Amino acid sequence: MKAAEIRESYLSFFEGKGCHRLPSSSLIPDDPSLLLTSAGMVQFKPVFLGLRDLGFTRATTCQKCARTTDIDIIGTTGRHHSFFEMLGNFSFGDYFKSEACAWAYEYSTQVLKLDINRLWFSIYEDDDEAEAIWRDEVGVPQDRIVRMGAKDNFWSAGPTGPCGPCSELYYDQGPEVGCGSADCAPGCDCDRFLEYWNLVFMQYDRAEDGTLTPLPKQNIDTGMGLERVAAIMQGVHSNFETDSLRGIMQCAEEITGATYGVDEKTDTSLRIITDHARAVTFLISDGVLPSNEGRGYVLRRILRRAVRHGRLLGVEKPFLQLLIDQVVTRMGDAYPEVVEHHDLVRRIVASEEERFGATLRQGLVFLGEAIDDTKSGGGSVLDGIMAFALHDTYGFPYELTVEIAAEAGLEVDKATFDVEMAAQRDRARAAVKDDSWSAFGHAFGEVAKLIGGEVEFVGYGADAADAVVVGIVVDGATVERLEAGASGDIVLNTTPFYGEQGGQVGDQGLIALGDARFTVSDTRIPMRGLISHAGTLEGGALAVGDKVHAAIDVERRERIRRNHTATHILHWALRKVLGEHVHQSGSFVTPDRLRFDFTHFEAPDADQLSRIERLANAKIMENHPVRNYETSLVTAREMGVTALFGEKYGEIVRVLEVGNFSKELCGGTHVGRSSEIGMVKIISEGSVGANLRRIEAVTSFGALEYVYTEEALITEAATTLKCRPAEVSEKVAGLARRLKETESALAEAKRLRGSSDLEKYLAGRVDIGYPLVVTDVPDMDMAALRDFVDALRQHMGGGAVVAASGNQGGGAVLIAAGDVKAVSAGFDAAAIIREAAPFIAGRGGGKPAMAQAGGDDVAGIGAALASARRLLGVE
């Protein structure tokens, strides 16, 4: 069976058991405590805790997953991946152990038709119930059931919270792939017994003291690795030899000229390139962009690791785009999002490969300097911390550092390198520690349980509403009453207040009851379905159960609405001018201005920005109707509605249409017609990361204020220049030309003055085997001083010069230069600058023939030149 056939057979099998087939969730989880989606159960965590009701109690999915905490292992084995597919079936208080075990056995033996004599089953050491089910209900021989400890067969969300024993299914691949030990059995680290399915029996709630209390409802969470099952079904011992990965690897072989299965080092590189190409494709398609932190750093590290291994196989040119094409071809049917974003993924990958080429070159320079410093100090071992910095910062593989160091006759301090790597892995694991189970149990979770549903938002059509206080949270704890002067969060059953999301800031306003006035300073969404009003009670008292009147700040909301609709029109204009590859990557909409982040690969020029602004304003003034409505996600996609890049959506979505030219998914608040925006004015554009640009703009009153301010500045400039406002540009251009001419004349005067004074400076010449002048020259910048030094050496007929100058800007410059004869006689300009630069509070460098430095301390010039004389032996 091919991987696609296994995927479909699994989902169909469990649909036949009453499970609802659900699509894979994004690799960007809703859970803020998680970096990436690493298991099928991630999207169901609120359901397991009773905080959400899906309307059904059984589900099955094929979840795309990413795990990178042990990235250095990936590629060294045939079964570890940074991206993989996990098949799962779940029960939310419905079926339990008996059904989970029976169905796992049925699917394995009846659908996959696995050899029963090769199957093994592990259980938790104290789980007699699971053993009885496998033995007595399913019919597994006793000698095929293995008991294991908590490390292998007890699942826990953390130190507290839901947990339970688990049972794993193993497939015996045969003694020929094992370790040969007489004790080899399921759980052994070798490849013989391949664990392919894990059944978690979530039945306890662990307290802080370790006590296990049965959960009100018992749940099932299972995970089966699609790649591992494909390897079993296709009779291979490596996931990379399965149909879904072998085709991608064949492309890698064609690009590199390498052949898989000939050399282990080459095989490792080919596995890494193949695996990482899938991860890169899916991460970018789900909205992750390369950066230096968080998910973006994970993506950048994976991408660069793949490029590094391409380099090790002799590929110097960008090549990952070709592998991306293979991933999309082979997996696009199951995951249409990679097809939708194919072009964008290719562009981002190409740009990142180009950037990394420059980084590699920088790393080589850094390594070369470290080798020189080590050898000049008489050392024979390269610093392990430096080697780790190369690996972590410049993307250098440790093996490459060792190879280059060996060519220079040095070893590398591997022990220190290993310590730094271990520390990094610990930091990586800590960064993705899953604390969200306990986090879901905080005060807002308690409020969510009490209201038993979602807060009703009526703010699309109403500015005020009568409501009931259903929860009050102060300092992370629920309270029944709020007194005057206290601050906290109030949750209402109904609210017109928009909670911050989708880039739009939360509303402000007032919640009132009699003399009780709660000033809302912010509205937020602490968890799905809950809207919280943060603020301070200015007078009176409020309690849970009180009936109140909630009213937003209407004028503030109106400004936000204008800015938010403007982001959609700007998005349309950006794609028109810059290209269809432009996607929104984020936004921030406030009453005062809007910020819009978008994917693009170079800075738009002034003409492009002008065209974008003019197009947007034309659409605004054409007075197009703006419509909002809800529909299914499937229908929206069929209508061609643009989904925001990286955003996650439910089955029902809200569509925003501006005229007939912009149609996007958006849950924010918007104007009724485009003319209400007034006008949009772009006030800045710049880079906020690799392949990511940001526009800031203002609309309506903000745009008017911007124009008034600019007009006032031009009027002030015209008054100063004694001209009309329309003539300011021409007047300033004329002044700039005259200033440039004056500066050129001044520079030429300095140069000529220096030349006419050459004889004065030559009078200080000494002969130390070659002519040498060490001198101070007044009021020259670096360029002028360099010309002076060249002229002086020319008049001497060769030799060497060390010269310094302080200029009117308060800085000091220092140059040392010598010809071939001087250098061969021992003159070292770089050494002189290293010695002298600190005296002018500066730094610099160069080569033996020429070096220079700049500093801030003009008073130190005398001491700097004195140090040069001492080094040259002329004092």
Side-chain angles (χ1 to χ4, degrees):
M1 294 175 72
K2 294 187 175 183
E5 294 172 317
I6 297 169
R7 185 192 301 117
E8 178 57 36
S9 72
Y10 182 95
L11 296 173
S12 296
F13 176 83
F14 281 100
E15 277 187 309
K17 302 299 183 183
C19 295
H20 285 251
R21 182 191 296 210
L22 297 177
S24 169
S25 63
S26 170
L27 287 174
I28 303 176
D30 286 327
D31 187 340
S33 74
L34 291 177
L35 202 62
L36 296 165
T37 299
S38 58
M41 52 75 63
V42 169
Q43 65 172 304
F44 300 120
K45 288 164 67 175
V47 183
F48 283 132
L49 286 170
L51 301 179
R52 281 184 63 200
D53 184 358
L54 295 175
F56 49 84
T57 56
R58 300 181 180 187
T60 184
T61 65
C62 182
Q63 174 65 49
K64 51 191 178 184
C65 300
R67 289 182 187 172
T68 59
T69 50
D70 289 314
I71 190 173
D72 295 299
I73 295 174
I74 297 166
T76 63
T77 75
R79 63 181 186 276
H80 288 90
H81 299 287
S82 57
F83 172 88
F84 58 95
E85 297 178 80
M86 183 175 285
L87 295 159
N89 57 283
F90 308 90
S91 167
F92 315 120
D94 191 336
Y95 66 83
F96 198 48
K97 287 185 185 180
S98 290
E99 294 89 343
C101 293
W103 295 345
Y105 188 83
E106 181 185 348
Y107 179 76
S108 296
T109 59
Q110 300 301 313
V111 180
L112 298 182
K113 300 189 184 304
L114 295 179
D115 184 349
I116 297 172
N117 296 319
R118 287 179 175 261
L119 298 183
W120 291 75
F121 307 82
S122 71
I123 60 171
Y124 178 54
E125 56 191 0
D126 293 337
D127 195 355
D128 296 333
E129 181 186 11
E131 181 181 61
I133 290 170
W134 282 121
R135 184 189 62 234
D136 303 333
E137 296 182 21
V138 179
V140 173
Q142 179 69 52
D143 61 0
R144 289 302 177 96
I145 303 172
V146 181
R147 290 180 182 258
M148 293 185 183
K151 178 184 176 184
D152 295 294
N153 281 92
F154 194 94
W155 181 87
S156 177
T160 62
C163 58
C166 56
S167 180
E168 296 175 320
L169 281 69
Y170 289 82
Y171 182 79
D172 183 358
Q173 301 192 92
E176 65 274 12
V177 296
C179 59
S181 170
D183 298 328
C184 188
C188 182
D189 290 334
C190 74
D191 288 340
R192 175 172 177 177
F193 295 94
L194 182 66
E195 183 257 307
Y196 68 93
W197 204 342
N198 186 19
L199 315 177
V200 177
F201 311 130
M202 202 182 298
Q203 62 190 96
Y204 299 115
D205 185 8
R206 177 180 279 154
E208 290 186 5
D209 62 0
T211 303
L212 297 178
T213 304
L215 288 168
K217 291 184 178 180
Q218 297 173 323
N219 306 305
I220 290 292
D221 161 30
T222 79
M224 182 168 77
L226 177 58
E227 291 82 1
R228 293 193 179 190
V229 177
I232 294 171
M233 296 302 296
Q234 294 168 29
V236 295
H237 299 311
S238 167
N239 296 352
F240 293 92
E241 296 173 24
T242 61
D243 69 292
S244 60
L245 284 162
R246 190 70 185 97
I248 302 170
M249 183 177 284
Q250 285 174 343
C251 179
E253 288 177 303
E254 292 172 6
I255 292 168
T256 62
T259 302
Y260 188 68
V262 175
D263 175 75
E264 183 54 34
K265 282 189 176 181
T266 298
D267 289 354
T268 297
S269 292
L270 287 171
R271 284 192 290 262
I272 287 170
I273 292 169
T274 300
D275 171 85
H276 289 7
R278 290 206 308 174
V280 166
T281 303
F282 278 87
L283 284 169
I284 297 176
S285 294
D286 274 2
V288 181
L289 293 175
S291 70
N292 289 326
E293 59 184 17
R295 300 181 186 100
Y297 177 71
V298 170
L299 169 61
R300 174 165 285 167
R301 190 175 176 208
I302 291 172
L303 195 154
R304 291 186 170 186
R305 190 167 186 249
V307 174
R308 286 202 316 265
H309 282 272
R311 295 285 197 276
L312 291 177
L313 296 180
V315 184
E316 296 296 327
K317 295 181 179 180
F319 66 92
L320 276 178
Q321 285 182 317
L322 299 175
L323 290 160
I324 301 302
D325 295 343
Q326 283 294 317
V327 174
V328 173
T329 297
R330 295 176 179 279
M331 304 190 72
D333 288 343
Y335 300 100
E337 63 270 24
V338 300
V339 178
E340 180 182 351
H341 298 298
H342 186 184
D343 183 57
L344 178 64
V345 175
R346 293 183 98 256
R347 284 173 172 265
I348 290 174
V349 165
S351 175
E352 192 69 13
E353 279 195 82
E354 184 178 341
R355 289 167 58 88
F356 185 45
T359 300
L360 269 179
R361 290 190 290 273
Q362 289 178 330
L364 283 170
V365 172
F366 182 48
L367 178 56
E369 291 176 352
I371 289 173
D372 289 343
D373 290 344
T374 302
K375 295 180 73 174
S376 64
S380 61
V381 179
L382 202 62
D383 182 22
I385 295 177
M386 188 284 307
F388 174 75
L390 271 172
H391 167 83
D392 193 51
T393 304
Y394 294 100
F396 255 64
Y398 175 74
E399 295 77 13
L400 183 56
T401 300
V402 170
E403 182 180 331
I404 295 173
E407 292 173 359
L410 300 177
E411 296 179 357
V412 180
D413 180 1
K414 188 174 188 303
T416 301
F417 177 87
D418 288 342
V419 168
E420 293 294 318
M421 279 297 298
Q424 186 202 56
R425 290 193 187 101
D426 289 341
R427 289 192 297 271
R429 292 189 183 100
V432 297
K433 184 180 179 182
D434 186 359
D435 292 327
S436 58
W437 289 89
S438 57
F440 268 116
H442 67 19
F444 287 111
E446 293 301 317
V447 174
K449 288 180 182 179
L450 288 173
I451 64 175
E454 295 187 351
V455 171
E456 181 186 10
F457 174 65
V458 296
Y460 290 128
D463 298 329
D466 293 325
V468 176
V469 177
V470 293
I472 302 174
V473 176
V474 177
D475 296 330
T478 57
V479 298
E480 289 297 313
R481 185 178 177 85
L482 199 65
E483 301 291 343
S487 298
D489 285 74
I490 290 179
V491 179
L492 307 175
N493 67 331
T494 301
T495 182
F497 285 76
Y498 184 87
E500 180 171 349
Q501 62 178 329
Q504 179 175 327
V505 296
D507 279 330
Q508 296 178 354
L510 185 69
I511 297 174
L513 173 61
D515 62 348
R517 300 176 63 81
F518 184 83
T519 302
V520 179
S521 58
D522 191 18
T523 307
R524 48 205 181 193
I525 301 177
M527 59 186 300
R528 182 182 295 181
L530 213 60
I531 300 174
S532 167
H533 310 80
T536 302
L537 188 61
E538 305 294 346
L542 284 176
V544 174
D546 282 347
K547 295 180 179 180
V548 298
H549 185 72
I552 66 170
D553 181 335
V554 175
E555 182 180 342
R556 182 175 180 274
R557 166 77 80 81
E558 288 300 318
R559 294 189 179 214
I560 293 172
R561 285 170 35 160
R562 295 177 188 126
N563 285 340
H564 200 161
T565 307
T567 64
H568 289 260
I569 297 175
L570 275 173
H571 192 191
W572 168 83
L574 282 161
R575 289 170 65 88
K576 275 287 186 184
V577 174
L578 301 181
E580 293 299 307
H581 65 276
V582 169
H583 288 273
Q584 179 177 339
S585 182
S587 66
F588 187 55
V589 181
T590 73
D592 305 315
R593 63 176 58 200
L594 65 91
R595 189 176 73 205
F596 189 84
D597 295 346
F598 59 98
T599 54
H600 191 51
F601 310 99
E602 60 186 3
D605 59 33
D607 178 63
Q608 288 174 319
L609 285 175
S610 176
R611 287 165 57 201
I612 291 164
E613 186 176 277
R614 288 175 181 274
L615 275 173
N617 278 310
K619 290 300 180 185
I620 288 170
M621 295 176 189
E622 286 170 6
N623 196 26
H624 291 280
V626 179
R627 293 201 309 135
N628 290 274
Y629 57 88
E630 289 187 344
T631 186
S632 71
L633 180 60
V634 173
T635 301
R637 288 193 179 278
E638 290 174 350
M639 293 165 54
V641 176
T642 300
L644 298 191
F645 181 54
E647 192 71 24
K648 299 178 289 294
Y649 300 98
E651 292 184 18
I652 301 300
V653 293
R654 191 169 179 83
V655 177
L656 175 79
E657 287 185 0
V658 184
N660 61 358
F661 64 92
S662 174
K663 190 181 297 184
E664 297 183 328
L665 299 182
C666 182
T669 60
H670 294 275
V671 299
R673 299 193 72 87
S674 63
S675 61
E676 295 176 37
I677 298 169
M679 68 173 288
V680 63
K681 182 66 187 172
I682 296 173
I683 58 176
S684 71
E685 192 284 333
S687 172
V688 288
N691 313 308
L692 199 60
R693 311 293 304 179
R694 171 173 293 171
I695 274 180
E696 293 197 1
V698 287
T699 70
S700 65
F701 294 108
L704 278 176
E705 284 301 320
Y706 182 83
V707 171
Y708 292 155
T709 301
E710 293 291 296
E711 185 179 48
L713 289 172
I714 292 173
T715 301
E716 183 181 351
T719 302
T720 302
L721 295 170
K722 295 181 173 57
C723 66
R724 292 184 296 113
E727 300 170 340
V728 167
S729 177
E730 182 180 349
K731 192 87 170 181
V732 169
L735 289 173
R737 284 194 301 272
R738 288 198 292 275
L739 178 60
K740 187 174 182 179
E741 291 167 359
T742 302
E743 288 175 341
S744 296
L746 179 60
E748 179 65 13
K750 287 181 180 180
R751 189 185 69 79
L752 293 174
R753 186 202 72 194
S755 298
S756 65
D757 290 344
L758 288 180
E759 291 300 327
K760 179 179 71 173
Y761 294 107
L762 286 172
R765 174 176 50 188
V766 295
D767 196 318
I768 57 172
Y770 54 86
L772 170 69
V773 172
V774 180
T775 187
D776 178 6
V777 187
D779 193 25
M780 285 191 179
D781 59 17
M782 186 68 78
L785 186 62
R786 191 182 299 114
D787 290 342
F788 173 81
V789 168
D790 289 343
L792 197 59
R793 289 169 59 206
Q794 185 177 358
H795 275 70
M796 289 194 303
V801 176
V802 180
S805 180
N807 55 60
Q808 292 179 348
V813 290
L814 185 64
I815 293 178
D819 62 9
V820 174
K821 182 180 178 183
V823 172
S824 63
F827 182 84
D828 187 341
I832 292 168
I833 291 299
R834 279 198 301 270
E835 180 75 17
F839 290 101
I840 60 170
R843 55 187 300 178
K847 297 180 179 180
M850 205 285 284
Q852 62 188 41
D856 298 324
D857 189 359
V858 176
I861 286 177
L865 294 177
S867 72
R869 291 189 183 96
R870 284 194 299 272
L871 198 62
L872 292 165
V874 295
E875 281 195 355

